[in-house]
């Protein structure tokens, strides 16, 4: 196992020089914030990210995340085009010696929090999700809430260009049930995992955050049963799971993650 720290690029308020000082830290889990879901990550862009990390004597251990276009998740007529784009990104990452992708398969909201600067009793800060706040909101207000707290920082999954078309996004998912969403994930994995095996890139799906439905949108990575079902779609070590404590923590029986350990 290698220790990695998530870093959002040159605009991150935490510089790599600080991350390098963490004892036992091997590298970075990075991303390209300028890429929209569906864009191909070009080799030149990936190498530029790698170079910025390696000059500080750290390694690019993986990516969180290469966002999946809504056409794939909703199963529209355009999905094969965007799966082809995704496969090209997988090949490009492999060509740059990057071999892990954390990804999510959630409609519209990749993750949701109600407070990005919650102060804990010890004075530290963390993200917070309060269901009572969400219960009093309309779905379209969620972006406004997140954007108002981001202080201009670009957040993966909350791309302004995409969420400005919120009503169109909601219409895209009209009629998409849990069963349909799962079938669309199955279609996606059956297309990409053979490529992942060929070029040695492991996929790790991120659990739902929070691990239950919000705004009536379907969720399919919310518990152990969901994740086992996903891993059974393609029985391969390249079809894996991200063990995120922020997502799995709210589930009562939090020790079930041991089911994934050898």
């Amino acid at each position: 196992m290698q220790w990695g720290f998530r870093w959002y690029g040159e605009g991150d308020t935490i510089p790599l020089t600080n991350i390098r000082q963490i004892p036992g830290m091997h590298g970075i889990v990075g991303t390209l914030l300028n890429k929209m879901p569906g864009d191909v990550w070009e080799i030149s862009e990936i190498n530029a990210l790698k170079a910025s990390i390696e000059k500080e004597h750290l390694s690019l251990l993986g990516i969180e995340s290469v966002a999946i276009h809504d056409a794939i998740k909703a199963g529209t007529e355009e999905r094969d085009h965007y799966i082809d784009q995704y496969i090209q990104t997988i090949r490009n990452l492999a060509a740059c010696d990057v071999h892990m992708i954390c990804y999510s398969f959630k409609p519209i909201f990749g993750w949701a929090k109600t407070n990005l600067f919650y102060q804990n009793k010890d004075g530290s800060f963390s993200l917070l999700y309060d269901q009572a706040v969400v219960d009093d909101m309309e779905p379209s207000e969620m972006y406004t809430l997140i954007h108002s707290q981001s202080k201009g920082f670009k957040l993966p999954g909350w791309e302004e260009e995409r969420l400005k078309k919120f009503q169109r996004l909601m219409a895209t998912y009209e009629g998409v049930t849990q069963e349909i969403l799962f079938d669309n994930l199955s279609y996606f994995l059956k297309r990409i995992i053979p490529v992942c095996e060929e070029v040695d890139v492991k996929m790790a799906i991120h659990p739902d955050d929070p691990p239950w439905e919000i705004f009536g949108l379907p969720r399919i990575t919310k518990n152990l049963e969901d994740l086992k079902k996903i891993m059974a779609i393609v029985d391969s070590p390249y079809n894996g799971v991200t063990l995120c404590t922020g997502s799995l923590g709210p589930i009562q029986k939090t020790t079930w993650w041991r089911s994934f350990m050898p």
Side-chain angles (χ1 to χ4, degrees):
M1 179 182 291
Q2 291 182 303
W3 287 96
F5 197 93
R6 194 170 184 191
W7 184 64
Y8 293 96
E10 299 293 348
D12 199 324
T13 55
I14 301 176
L16 290 171
T17 50
N18 288 13
I19 296 171
R20 194 181 63 210
Q21 295 177 53
I22 301 171
M25 191 58 57
H26 295 96
I28 294 298
V29 176
T31 191
L32 293 177
L33 286 176
N34 63 314
K35 308 303 284 187
M36 292 291 292
D39 289 349
V40 172
W41 291 31
E42 303 296 344
I43 287 178
S44 59
E45 297 172 309
I46 300 165
N47 277 332
L49 175 63
K50 278 192 69 180
S52 67
I53 293 167
E54 290 173 353
K55 73 179 181 181
E56 298 298 340
H57 308 289
L58 293 164
S59 300
L60 180 56
L61 301 177
I63 299 296
E64 185 180 356
S65 64
V66 179
I68 296 174
H69 196 277
D70 291 287
I72 300 173
K73 292 182 281 188
T76 72
E77 293 179 355
E78 298 177 298
R79 70 173 171 182
D80 283 315
H81 165 72
Y82 286 110
I83 292 174
D84 289 340
Q85 297 272 84
Y86 205 97
I87 286 172
Q88 188 59 55
T89 293
I90 291 171
R91 291 189 180 279
N92 289 352
L93 285 165
C96 297
D97 200 26
V98 180
H99 299 283
M100 188 279 289
I101 298 172
C102 168
Y103 73 104
S104 68
F105 210 84
K106 308 174 184 69
I108 304 181
F109 303 117
W111 54 273
K113 303 295 179 186
T114 53
N115 191 336
L116 303 185
F117 297 97
Y118 178 77
Q119 187 166 8
N120 299 290
K121 291 180 179 179
D122 64 359
S124 62
F125 290 89
S126 63
L127 307 178
L128 177 75
Y129 180 85
D130 186 343
Q131 185 64 48
V133 173
V134 174
D135 287 341
D136 289 332
M137 295 175 63
E138 292 296 322
S140 58
E141 296 176 312
M142 195 70 194
Y143 169 73
T144 303
L145 176 66
I146 295 291
H147 187 66
S148 69
Q149 299 181 46
S150 66
K151 299 183 179 180
F153 191 82
K154 292 186 71 173
L155 294 168
W158 293 92
E159 298 86 1
E160 183 176 7
E161 302 92 330
R162 175 171 162 268
L163 292 172
K164 275 185 174 179
K165 305 171 184 175
F166 184 80
Q167 295 305 325
R168 190 186 305 173
L169 277 175
M170 287 294 285
T172 298
Y173 286 99
E174 187 174 350
V176 176
T177 63
Q178 284 193 21
E179 292 74 21
I180 292 173
L181 186 64
F182 180 83
D183 287 345
N184 293 339
L185 173 60
S186 179
Y187 185 92
F188 173 70
L189 289 175
K190 288 175 181 178
R191 284 282 316 274
I192 69 163
I193 294 301
V195 178
C196 292
E197 292 173 336
E198 175 193 338
V199 300
D200 188 26
V201 172
K202 288 183 168 67
M203 301 295 296
I205 196 166
H206 196 290
D208 288 319
D209 185 2
W212 53 78
E213 289 189 5
I214 58 173
F215 302 123
L217 294 165
R219 299 278 197 165
I220 57 170
T221 53
K222 58 190 180 300
N223 53 43
L224 175 60
E225 290 72 27
D226 285 350
L227 296 175
K228 283 188 171 180
K229 188 177 176 183
I230 289 166
M231 294 178 73
I233 293 170
V234 183
D235 186 10
S236 169
Y238 291 86
N239 177 25
V241 173
T242 299
L243 298 177
C244 174
T245 57
S247 296
L248 305 179
I251 301 173
Q252 275 190 327
K253 295 181 179 179
T254 54
T255 55
W256 61 258
W257 58 268
R258 296 182 185 275
S259 301
F260 296 101
M261 303 300 287

